[in-house]
Amino acid sequence: MTAQLLDGRAAAEAIRTDVAAGVQAFTASHGSAPGLATLLAGDDPGSAWYVRSIGRAAKAAGMAWRDVRLDPAGGDTALRATIDGLSADTTIHGVIVLLPLPAPLSLGVVAERLDPAKDVDGITTASAGRLALGQPGLVPATPLGGIELLKRNGISLAGAEAVVLGRSNIVGKPLALLLLAEHATVTLCHTRTRDLAAVCRRADVLCAAVGRPGLVTADMVKPGAVVLDFGTTPNDAGKLRGDVDFETVHEVAGWLSPVPGGTESVTTAILLRNTLEAANRQVA
Ligand code: NAP
């Protein structure tokens, strides 16, 4: 068997086109564009690259982008003031805080103080609680993008056995909750999981969000399974590597998302869609 590809670039393009139309309509009705702020503390080159790419995508969609930088030396006092300022600013409808925050800054400040209405990457306690309770709210963009990629390819999740590798708050855990909301039967794995390969082989839908290139090999995949790769680890040449051993798993899986060109392509498009949704709710 040779897997069909889950094309993240095509999905992202379609989402961005819809968002651009929505932004145009918002701007026509309200006289100004939806505003998205990125907050980068410190000078991590990977995060700085991501900020620039979000900014380009936001501007291309017609949004107003604000590039907010914070010196970590100001500590939680400065972080609190910045978050409170963005939460109160009526021209900003969405806020993305680049993670991880460098020391000595505390994620708790963002999780507790950012206005949940502007939390377009779903990192606040309120957003996580709403997702866990099945209430409407803003959901982390990466796992939501993964579900979107499956749906756009007509993959049905109801009743499917889904296995998620990785339990981070930003990918694995919310992904498990989203799969559950789609009526999949979900198993969440991590470093203490016993016989990971056997658990993975049960999966109709196998999702890897671990950050260990090539961890998922063909012997861990049920023939015909859907395999979603969230891993984005740069190699020495700066090329992104997924958690799935693409060459071998491609011969076994029914569907497979490539890296690059898979889930990571969809993430930014979903951030923009979340921002548009947030803006529309804030003016309603
Ligand atoms: P993270 O916070 O480091 O979490 C990694 C998770 O993987 C942890 O739960 C860890 O288990 C588990 N894990 C590590 N090694 C394992 C192993 N050998 N077997 C089983 N589980 C293992 O990472 P993250 O932020 O979720 O990111 C995961 C990957 O997704 C990274 O490659 C990251 O770059 C990528 N990512 C992609 C996107 C995108 O847009 N596609 C967005 C965000 C992140 P424990 O909890 O037991 O330690």
Side-chain angles (χ1 to χ4, degrees):
M1 175 176 297
T2 305
Q4 297 189 67
L5 288 187
L6 292 161
D7 184 347
R9 290 186 178 128
E13 181 63 35
I15 296 164
R16 281 197 301 262
T17 302
D18 288 349
V19 169
V23 168
Q24 218 172 21
F26 180 98
T27 307
S29 321
H30 303 289
S32 60
L36 173 65
T38 48
L39 172 57
L40 175 60
D43 51 11
D44 175 70
S47 295
W49 178 88
Y50 189 35
V51 159
R52 285 194 299 275
S53 106
I54 294 170
R56 269 196 308 273
K59 287 199 280 190
M63 290 182 182
W65 171 51
R66 192 182 305 167
D67 181 6
V68 181
R69 304 284 168 126
L70 186 69
D71 181 352
D76 283 346
T77 306
L79 178 61
R80 208 172 287 122
T82 306
I83 293 293
D84 288 354
L86 291 169
S87 292
D89 186 334
T90 53
T91 65
I92 295 294
H93 303 92
V95 178
I96 297 163
V97 179
L98 277 292
L99 300 179
L101 287 171
L105 304 180
S106 319
L107 179 58
V109 170
V110 182
E112 296 300 332
R113 294 184 82 97
L114 177 63
D115 180 352
K118 300 186 179 187
D119 177 22
V120 291
D121 208 10
I123 65 172
T124 62
T125 314
S127 300
R130 283 179 192 159
L131 179 60
L133 295 179
Q135 294 172 357
L138 292 162
V139 174
T142 296
L144 189 57
I147 299 287
E148 179 85 24
L149 196 49
L150 297 180
K151 285 188 174 170
R152 282 180 182 261
N153 286 281
I155 292 163
S156 151
L157 291 166
E161 180 109 24
V163 172
V164 178
L165 309 189
R167 56 176 164 179
S168 73
N169 288 334
I170 196 71
V171 192
K173 235 183 265 175
L175 180 61
L177 289 167
L178 289 170
L179 288 162
L180 195 59
E182 296 292 335
H183 311 294
T185 301
V186 184
T187 304
L188 192 49
C189 300
H190 43 78
T191 51
R192 312 289 176 90
T193 300
R194 275 191 229 125
D195 200 350
L196 188 67
V199 178
C200 290
R201 274 195 298 274
R202 294 205 313 252
D204 302 310
V205 179
L206 179 60
C207 306
V210 165
R212 302 274 180 276
L215 176 80
V216 177
T217 47
D219 59 308
M220 297 166 76
V221 176
K222 184 201 268 191
V226 177
V227 181
L228 210 46
D229 191 350
F230 290 90
T232 50
T233 309
N235 67 10
D236 291 343
K239 190 170 182 289
L240 290 185
R241 295 234 24 227
D243 290 339
V244 175
D245 181 37
F246 185 90
E247 297 306 326
T248 61
V249 170
H250 189 248
E251 300 306 313
V252 179
W255 290 90
L256 174 59
S257 68
V259 178
T263 58
E264 91 295 341
S265 304
V266 188
T267 297
T268 305
I270 297 285
L271 279 173
L272 299 183
R273 194 176 74 183
N274 280 354
T275 303
L276 176 62
E277 276 176 25
N280 278 322
R281 272 193 224 121
Q282 283 163 56
V283 297

PDB file of all heavy atoms in Angstrom, residues 142 165-168 170-172 189-192 196 209-212 215 230-233 243 263-264 267, ligand 1:
ATOM      1  N   THR A 142      -2.636  24.395  16.320  1.00  0.00           N
ATOM      2  CA  THR A 142      -1.996  23.218  15.715  1.00  0.00           C
ATOM      3  C   THR A 142      -2.909  21.991  15.747  1.00  0.00           C
ATOM      4  O   THR A 142      -3.156  21.380  14.696  1.00  0.00           O
ATOM      5  CB  THR A 142      -0.639  22.938  16.408  1.00  0.00           C
ATOM      6  OG1 THR A 142       0.209  24.048  16.159  1.00  0.00           O
ATOM      7  CG2 THR A 142      -0.001  21.681  15.893  1.00  0.00           C
ATOM      8  N   LEU A 165       0.429  10.507  20.319  1.00  0.00           N
ATOM      9  CA  LEU A 165       1.721  10.444  21.005  1.00  0.00           C
ATOM     10  C   LEU A 165       2.109  11.857  21.404  1.00  0.00           C
ATOM     11  O   LEU A 165       2.245  12.728  20.539  1.00  0.00           O
ATOM     12  CB  LEU A 165       2.806   9.880  20.081  1.00  0.00           C
ATOM     13  CG  LEU A 165       2.529   8.576  19.351  1.00  0.00           C
ATOM     14  CD1 LEU A 165       3.800   8.082  18.661  1.00  0.00           C
ATOM     15  CD2 LEU A 165       2.016   7.532  20.302  1.00  0.00           C
ATOM     16  N   GLY A 166       2.272  12.087  22.710  1.00  0.00           N
ATOM     17  CA  GLY A 166       2.633  13.409  23.226  1.00  0.00           C
ATOM     18  C   GLY A 166       1.456  13.998  23.975  1.00  0.00           C
ATOM     19  O   GLY A 166       0.313  13.933  23.502  1.00  0.00           O
ATOM     20  N   ARG A 167       1.740  14.574  25.159  1.00  0.00           N
ATOM     21  CA  ARG A 167       0.661  15.099  26.009  1.00  0.00           C
ATOM     22  C   ARG A 167       0.908  16.561  26.384  1.00  0.00           C
ATOM     23  O   ARG A 167       0.592  16.978  27.496  1.00  0.00           O
ATOM     24  CB  ARG A 167       0.525  14.237  27.257  1.00  0.00           C
ATOM     25  CG  ARG A 167       1.820  14.111  28.051  1.00  0.00           C
ATOM     26  CD  ARG A 167       1.628  13.338  29.347  1.00  0.00           C
ATOM     27  NE  ARG A 167       2.907  12.902  29.885  1.00  0.00           N
ATOM     28  CZ  ARG A 167       3.041  12.221  31.012  1.00  0.00           C
ATOM     29  NH1 ARG A 167       1.977  11.887  31.711  1.00  0.00           N
ATOM     30  NH2 ARG A 167       4.233  11.859  31.439  1.00  0.00           N
ATOM     31  N   SER A 168       1.527  17.343  25.477  1.00  0.00           N
ATOM     32  CA  SER A 168       1.755  18.755  25.813  1.00  0.00           C
ATOM     33  C   SER A 168       0.423  19.498  25.833  1.00  0.00           C
ATOM     34  O   SER A 168      -0.563  19.068  25.226  1.00  0.00           O
ATOM     35  CB  SER A 168       2.690  19.406  24.783  1.00  0.00           C
ATOM     36  OG  SER A 168       2.003  19.609  23.576  1.00  0.00           O
ATOM     37  N   ILE A 170      -0.194  22.232  24.412  1.00  0.00           N
ATOM     38  CA  ILE A 170      -0.438  22.998  23.191  1.00  0.00           C
ATOM     39  C   ILE A 170      -0.765  22.095  21.988  1.00  0.00           C
ATOM     40  O   ILE A 170      -1.387  22.518  21.034  1.00  0.00           O
ATOM     41  CB  ILE A 170       0.760  23.968  22.908  1.00  0.00           C
ATOM     42  CG1 ILE A 170       0.414  25.046  21.917  1.00  0.00           C
ATOM     43  CG2 ILE A 170       2.010  23.249  22.520  1.00  0.00           C
ATOM     44  CD1 ILE A 170      -0.526  26.081  22.440  1.00  0.00           C
ATOM     45  N   VAL A 171      -0.342  20.811  22.052  1.00  0.00           N
ATOM     46  CA  VAL A 171      -0.647  19.914  20.926  1.00  0.00           C
ATOM     47  C   VAL A 171      -1.368  18.629  21.408  1.00  0.00           C
ATOM     48  O   VAL A 171      -2.557  18.446  21.141  1.00  0.00           O
ATOM     49  CB  VAL A 171       0.606  19.530  20.091  1.00  0.00           C
ATOM     50  CG1 VAL A 171       0.157  18.849  18.786  1.00  0.00           C
ATOM     51  CG2 VAL A 171       1.482  20.717  19.767  1.00  0.00           C
ATOM     52  N   GLY A 172      -0.654  17.756  22.109  1.00  0.00           N
ATOM     53  CA  GLY A 172      -1.193  16.422  22.392  1.00  0.00           C
ATOM     54  C   GLY A 172      -2.508  16.425  23.162  1.00  0.00           C
ATOM     55  O   GLY A 172      -3.480  15.778  22.745  1.00  0.00           O
ATOM     56  N   CYS A 189      -0.584   8.863  24.653  1.00  0.00           N
ATOM     57  CA  CYS A 189       0.678   8.213  25.055  1.00  0.00           C
ATOM     58  C   CYS A 189       1.751   9.244  25.390  1.00  0.00           C
ATOM     59  O   CYS A 189       1.698  10.385  24.931  1.00  0.00           O
ATOM     60  CB  CYS A 189       1.203   7.347  23.911  1.00  0.00           C
ATOM     61  SG  CYS A 189       0.078   6.057  23.410  1.00  0.00           S
ATOM     62  N   HIS A 190       2.764   8.800  26.138  1.00  0.00           N
ATOM     63  CA  HIS A 190       3.845   9.685  26.585  1.00  0.00           C
ATOM     64  C   HIS A 190       5.056   8.834  26.904  1.00  0.00           C
ATOM     65  O   HIS A 190       5.076   7.636  26.565  1.00  0.00           O
ATOM     66  CB  HIS A 190       3.360  10.506  27.780  1.00  0.00           C
ATOM     67  CG  HIS A 190       2.593   9.692  28.756  1.00  0.00           C
ATOM     68  ND1 HIS A 190       3.203   8.852  29.661  1.00  0.00           N
ATOM     69  CD2 HIS A 190       1.250   9.524  28.919  1.00  0.00           C
ATOM     70  CE1 HIS A 190       2.278   8.233  30.363  1.00  0.00           C
ATOM     71  NE2 HIS A 190       1.076   8.613  29.926  1.00  0.00           N
ATOM     72  N   THR A 191       6.040   9.420  27.573  1.00  0.00           N
ATOM     73  CA  THR A 191       7.295   8.679  27.785  1.00  0.00           C
ATOM     74  C   THR A 191       7.123   7.472  28.712  1.00  0.00           C
ATOM     75  O   THR A 191       7.962   6.576  28.703  1.00  0.00           O
ATOM     76  CB  THR A 191       8.384   9.592  28.389  1.00  0.00           C
ATOM     77  OG1 THR A 191       7.845  10.256  29.526  1.00  0.00           O
ATOM     78  CG2 THR A 191       8.877  10.614  27.382  1.00  0.00           C
ATOM     79  N   ARG A 192       6.068   7.439  29.525  1.00  0.00           N
ATOM     80  CA  ARG A 192       5.890   6.292  30.442  1.00  0.00           C
ATOM     81  C   ARG A 192       4.981   5.220  29.853  1.00  0.00           C
ATOM     82  O   ARG A 192       4.680   4.236  30.529  1.00  0.00           O
ATOM     83  CB  ARG A 192       5.285   6.761  31.771  1.00  0.00           C
ATOM     84  CG  ARG A 192       5.940   7.970  32.398  1.00  0.00           C
ATOM     85  CD  ARG A 192       7.325   7.639  32.943  1.00  0.00           C
ATOM     86  NE  ARG A 192       7.960   8.849  33.450  1.00  0.00           N
ATOM     87  CZ  ARG A 192       7.851   9.284  34.705  1.00  0.00           C
ATOM     88  NH1 ARG A 192       7.161   8.603  35.559  1.00  0.00           N
ATOM     89  NH2 ARG A 192       8.454  10.400  35.083  1.00  0.00           N
ATOM     90  N   LEU A 196       4.850   1.041  23.456  1.00  0.00           N
ATOM     91  CA  LEU A 196       4.295   2.078  22.589  1.00  0.00           C
ATOM     92  C   LEU A 196       3.925   1.515  21.204  1.00  0.00           C
ATOM     93  O   LEU A 196       2.874   1.845  20.652  1.00  0.00           O
ATOM     94  CB  LEU A 196       5.331   3.210  22.438  1.00  0.00           C
ATOM     95  CG  LEU A 196       4.880   4.460  21.724  1.00  0.00           C
ATOM     96  CD1 LEU A 196       3.834   5.200  22.534  1.00  0.00           C
ATOM     97  CD2 LEU A 196       6.073   5.382  21.458  1.00  0.00           C
ATOM     98  N   ALA A 209       2.978  13.795  18.089  1.00  0.00           N
ATOM     99  CA  ALA A 209       3.340  15.165  18.468  1.00  0.00           C
ATOM    100  C   ALA A 209       4.349  15.079  19.600  1.00  0.00           C
ATOM    101  O   ALA A 209       4.050  15.351  20.752  1.00  0.00           O
ATOM    102  CB  ALA A 209       2.096  15.947  18.895  1.00  0.00           C
ATOM    103  N   VAL A 210       5.557  14.672  19.232  1.00  0.00           N
ATOM    104  CA  VAL A 210       6.558  14.283  20.209  1.00  0.00           C
ATOM    105  C   VAL A 210       7.840  15.118  20.094  1.00  0.00           C
ATOM    106  O   VAL A 210       8.470  15.448  21.100  1.00  0.00           O
ATOM    107  CB  VAL A 210       6.851  12.767  20.008  1.00  0.00           C
ATOM    108  CG1 VAL A 210       8.113  12.352  20.716  1.00  0.00           C
ATOM    109  CG2 VAL A 210       5.672  11.914  20.470  1.00  0.00           C
ATOM    110  N   GLY A 211       8.260  15.393  18.855  1.00  0.00           N
ATOM    111  CA  GLY A 211       9.526  16.098  18.652  1.00  0.00           C
ATOM    112  C   GLY A 211      10.724  15.159  18.659  1.00  0.00           C
ATOM    113  O   GLY A 211      11.818  15.550  19.050  1.00  0.00           O
ATOM    114  N   ARG A 212      10.498  13.906  18.236  1.00  0.00           N
ATOM    115  CA  ARG A 212      11.601  12.921  18.108  1.00  0.00           C
ATOM    116  C   ARG A 212      11.590  12.420  16.668  1.00  0.00           C
ATOM    117  O   ARG A 212      10.798  11.532  16.324  1.00  0.00           O
ATOM    118  CB  ARG A 212      11.385  11.720  19.040  1.00  0.00           C
ATOM    119  CG  ARG A 212      11.272  12.049  20.502  1.00  0.00           C
ATOM    120  CD  ARG A 212      12.655  12.129  21.155  1.00  0.00           C
ATOM    121  NE  ARG A 212      12.531  12.435  22.557  1.00  0.00           N
ATOM    122  CZ  ARG A 212      12.392  13.683  23.055  1.00  0.00           C
ATOM    123  NH1 ARG A 212      12.367  14.721  22.255  1.00  0.00           N
ATOM    124  NH2 ARG A 212      12.291  13.875  24.359  1.00  0.00           N
ATOM    125  N   LEU A 215      10.579   8.691  15.083  1.00  0.00           N
ATOM    126  CA  LEU A 215      10.168   7.776  16.176  1.00  0.00           C
ATOM    127  C   LEU A 215       9.161   6.734  15.685  1.00  0.00           C
ATOM    128  O   LEU A 215       9.215   5.565  16.061  1.00  0.00           O
ATOM    129  CB  LEU A 215       9.546   8.578  17.328  1.00  0.00           C
ATOM    130  CG  LEU A 215       8.988   7.754  18.478  1.00  0.00           C
ATOM    131  CD1 LEU A 215      10.116   7.285  19.415  1.00  0.00           C
ATOM    132  CD2 LEU A 215       7.955   8.534  19.288  1.00  0.00           C
ATOM    133  N   PHE A 230       2.838  15.729  13.547  1.00  0.00           N
ATOM    134  CA  PHE A 230       2.951  17.119  14.015  1.00  0.00           C
ATOM    135  C   PHE A 230       4.392  17.510  14.294  1.00  0.00           C
ATOM    136  O   PHE A 230       4.663  18.672  14.595  1.00  0.00           O
ATOM    137  CB  PHE A 230       2.116  17.318  15.294  1.00  0.00           C
ATOM    138  CG  PHE A 230       0.642  17.257  15.059  1.00  0.00           C
ATOM    139  CD1 PHE A 230      -0.045  16.060  15.140  1.00  0.00           C
ATOM    140  CD2 PHE A 230      -0.064  18.396  14.716  1.00  0.00           C
ATOM    141  CE1 PHE A 230      -1.414  15.992  14.909  1.00  0.00           C
ATOM    142  CE2 PHE A 230      -1.428  18.343  14.478  1.00  0.00           C
ATOM    143  CZ  PHE A 230      -2.097  17.139  14.579  1.00  0.00           C
ATOM    144  N   GLY A 231       5.312  16.551  14.240  1.00  0.00           N
ATOM    145  CA  GLY A 231       6.709  16.841  14.583  1.00  0.00           C
ATOM    146  C   GLY A 231       7.309  17.855  13.618  1.00  0.00           C
ATOM    147  O   GLY A 231       7.108  17.766  12.405  1.00  0.00           O
ATOM    148  N   THR A 232       8.023  18.817  14.161  1.00  0.00           N
ATOM    149  CA  THR A 232       8.733  19.797  13.315  1.00  0.00           C
ATOM    150  C   THR A 232      10.075  20.074  13.989  1.00  0.00           C
ATOM    151  O   THR A 232      10.243  21.093  14.636  1.00  0.00           O
ATOM    152  CB  THR A 232       7.958  21.114  13.156  1.00  0.00           C
ATOM    153  OG1 THR A 232       7.549  21.580  14.456  1.00  0.00           O
ATOM    154  CG2 THR A 232       6.744  20.964  12.271  1.00  0.00           C
ATOM    155  N   THR A 233      10.998  19.145  13.816  1.00  0.00           N
ATOM    156  CA  THR A 233      12.324  19.319  14.419  1.00  0.00           C
ATOM    157  C   THR A 233      13.303  19.679  13.312  1.00  0.00           C
ATOM    158  O   THR A 233      13.448  18.911  12.357  1.00  0.00           O
ATOM    159  CB  THR A 233      12.775  18.004  15.097  1.00  0.00           C
ATOM    160  OG1 THR A 233      11.720  17.549  15.956  1.00  0.00           O
ATOM    161  CG2 THR A 233      14.047  18.211  15.894  1.00  0.00           C
ATOM    162  N   ASP A 243       8.023  13.420  13.140  1.00  0.00           N
ATOM    163  CA  ASP A 243       8.162  12.315  14.098  1.00  0.00           C
ATOM    164  C   ASP A 243       7.996  10.957  13.413  1.00  0.00           C
ATOM    165  O   ASP A 243       8.216   9.923  14.029  1.00  0.00           O
ATOM    166  CB  ASP A 243       7.090  12.430  15.195  1.00  0.00           C
ATOM    167  CG  ASP A 243       7.350  13.593  16.126  1.00  0.00           C
ATOM    168  OD1 ASP A 243       8.507  14.055  16.206  1.00  0.00           O
ATOM    169  OD2 ASP A 243       6.392  14.046  16.784  1.00  0.00           O
ATOM    170  N   THR A 263       0.848  19.270   8.637  1.00  0.00           N
ATOM    171  CA  THR A 263       0.121  19.985   9.701  1.00  0.00           C
ATOM    172  C   THR A 263       0.666  21.389   9.938  1.00  0.00           C
ATOM    173  O   THR A 263      -0.092  22.312  10.225  1.00  0.00           O
ATOM    174  CB  THR A 263       0.180  19.201  11.025  1.00  0.00           C
ATOM    175  OG1 THR A 263       1.547  19.022  11.376  1.00  0.00           O
ATOM    176  CG2 THR A 263      -0.496  17.854  10.921  1.00  0.00           C
ATOM    177  N   GLU A 264       2.006  21.548   9.845  1.00  0.00           N
ATOM    178  CA  GLU A 264       2.589  22.858  10.205  1.00  0.00           C
ATOM    179  C   GLU A 264       2.155  23.933   9.200  1.00  0.00           C
ATOM    180  O   GLU A 264       2.115  25.114   9.547  1.00  0.00           O
ATOM    181  CB  GLU A 264       4.118  22.759  10.342  1.00  0.00           C
ATOM    182  CG  GLU A 264       4.950  23.045   9.107  1.00  0.00           C
ATOM    183  CD  GLU A 264       4.755  22.035   7.981  1.00  0.00           C
ATOM    184  OE1 GLU A 264       4.265  20.932   8.221  1.00  0.00           O
ATOM    185  OE2 GLU A 264       5.086  22.373   6.828  1.00  0.00           O
ATOM    186  N   THR A 267      -1.287  25.361  10.525  1.00  0.00           N
ATOM    187  CA  THR A 267      -1.342  26.050  11.821  1.00  0.00           C
ATOM    188  C   THR A 267      -1.556  27.563  11.666  1.00  0.00           C
ATOM    189  O   THR A 267      -2.453  28.145  12.309  1.00  0.00           O
ATOM    190  CB  THR A 267      -0.048  25.779  12.625  1.00  0.00           C
ATOM    191  OG1 THR A 267       0.018  24.384  12.895  1.00  0.00           O
ATOM    192  CG2 THR A 267      -0.030  26.541  13.937  1.00  0.00           C
TER     193      THR A 267
HETATM  194  P1  NAP B   1       6.731  18.852  24.166  1.00  0.00           P
HETATM  195  O1  NAP B   1       6.059  19.878  25.002  1.00  0.00           O
HETATM  196  O2  NAP B   1       8.208  18.644  24.258  1.00  0.00           O
HETATM  197  O3  NAP B   1       6.003  17.449  24.449  1.00  0.00           O
HETATM  198  C1  NAP B   1       6.480  16.268  23.875  1.00  0.00           C
HETATM  199  C2  NAP B   1       5.600  15.126  24.315  1.00  0.00           C
HETATM  200  O4  NAP B   1       6.090  13.945  23.705  1.00  0.00           O
HETATM  201  C3  NAP B   1       5.622  14.872  25.837  1.00  0.00           C
HETATM  202  O5  NAP B   1       4.317  14.621  26.286  1.00  0.00           O
HETATM  203  C4  NAP B   1       6.518  13.648  25.993  1.00  0.00           C
HETATM  204  O6  NAP B   1       6.128  12.814  27.062  1.00  0.00           O
HETATM  205  C5  NAP B   1       6.255  12.928  24.693  1.00  0.00           C
HETATM  206  N1  NAP B   1       7.407  12.092  24.305  1.00  0.00           N
HETATM  207  C6  NAP B   1       8.695  12.468  24.140  1.00  0.00           C
HETATM  208  N2  NAP B   1       9.446  11.431  23.760  1.00  0.00           N
HETATM  209  C7  NAP B   1       8.623  10.363  23.698  1.00  0.00           C
HETATM  210  C8  NAP B   1       8.802   9.001  23.370  1.00  0.00           C
HETATM  211  N3  NAP B   1      10.000   8.510  23.040  1.00  0.00           N
HETATM  212  N4  NAP B   1       7.730   8.189  23.405  1.00  0.00           N
HETATM  213  C9  NAP B   1       6.499   8.662  23.748  1.00  0.00           C
HETATM  214  N5  NAP B   1       6.260   9.953  24.051  1.00  0.00           N
HETATM  215  C10 NAP B   1       7.311  10.784  24.038  1.00  0.00           C
HETATM  216  O7  NAP B   1       6.460  19.096  22.626  1.00  0.00           O
HETATM  217  P2  NAP B   1       5.269  19.884  21.845  1.00  0.00           P
HETATM  218  O8  NAP B   1       5.386  21.337  22.105  1.00  0.00           O
HETATM  219  O9  NAP B   1       3.964  19.198  22.044  1.00  0.00           O
HETATM  220  O10 NAP B   1       5.735  19.611  20.361  1.00  0.00           O
HETATM  221  C11 NAP B   1       5.808  18.298  19.836  1.00  0.00           C
HETATM  222  C12 NAP B   1       6.281  18.377  18.399  1.00  0.00           C
HETATM  223  O11 NAP B   1       5.313  19.131  17.680  1.00  0.00           O
HETATM  224  C13 NAP B   1       7.613  19.125  18.216  1.00  0.00           C
HETATM  225  O12 NAP B   1       8.309  18.569  17.118  1.00  0.00           O
HETATM  226  C14 NAP B   1       7.174  20.537  17.867  1.00  0.00           C
HETATM  227  O13 NAP B   1       8.153  21.215  17.101  1.00  0.00           O
HETATM  228  C15 NAP B   1       5.962  20.227  17.046  1.00  0.00           C
HETATM  229  N6  NAP B   1       4.992  21.316  16.938  1.00  0.00           N
HETATM  230  C16 NAP B   1       4.442  21.451  15.728  1.00  0.00           C
HETATM  231  C17 NAP B   1       3.513  22.419  15.520  1.00  0.00           C
HETATM  232  C18 NAP B   1       2.865  22.487  14.159  1.00  0.00           C
HETATM  233  O14 NAP B   1       2.337  23.530  13.781  1.00  0.00           O
HETATM  234  N7  NAP B   1       2.801  21.343  13.429  1.00  0.00           N
HETATM  235  C19 NAP B   1       3.148  23.318  16.549  1.00  0.00           C
HETATM  236  C20 NAP B   1       3.695  23.107  17.828  1.00  0.00           C
HETATM  237  C21 NAP B   1       4.635  22.089  18.004  1.00  0.00           C
HETATM  238  P3  NAP B   1       6.226  13.241  28.610  1.00  0.00           P
HETATM  239  O15 NAP B   1       5.045  14.148  28.836  1.00  0.00           O
HETATM  240  O16 NAP B   1       6.131  11.973  29.341  1.00  0.00           O
HETATM  241  O17 NAP B   1       7.558  13.952  28.756  1.00  0.00           O
END
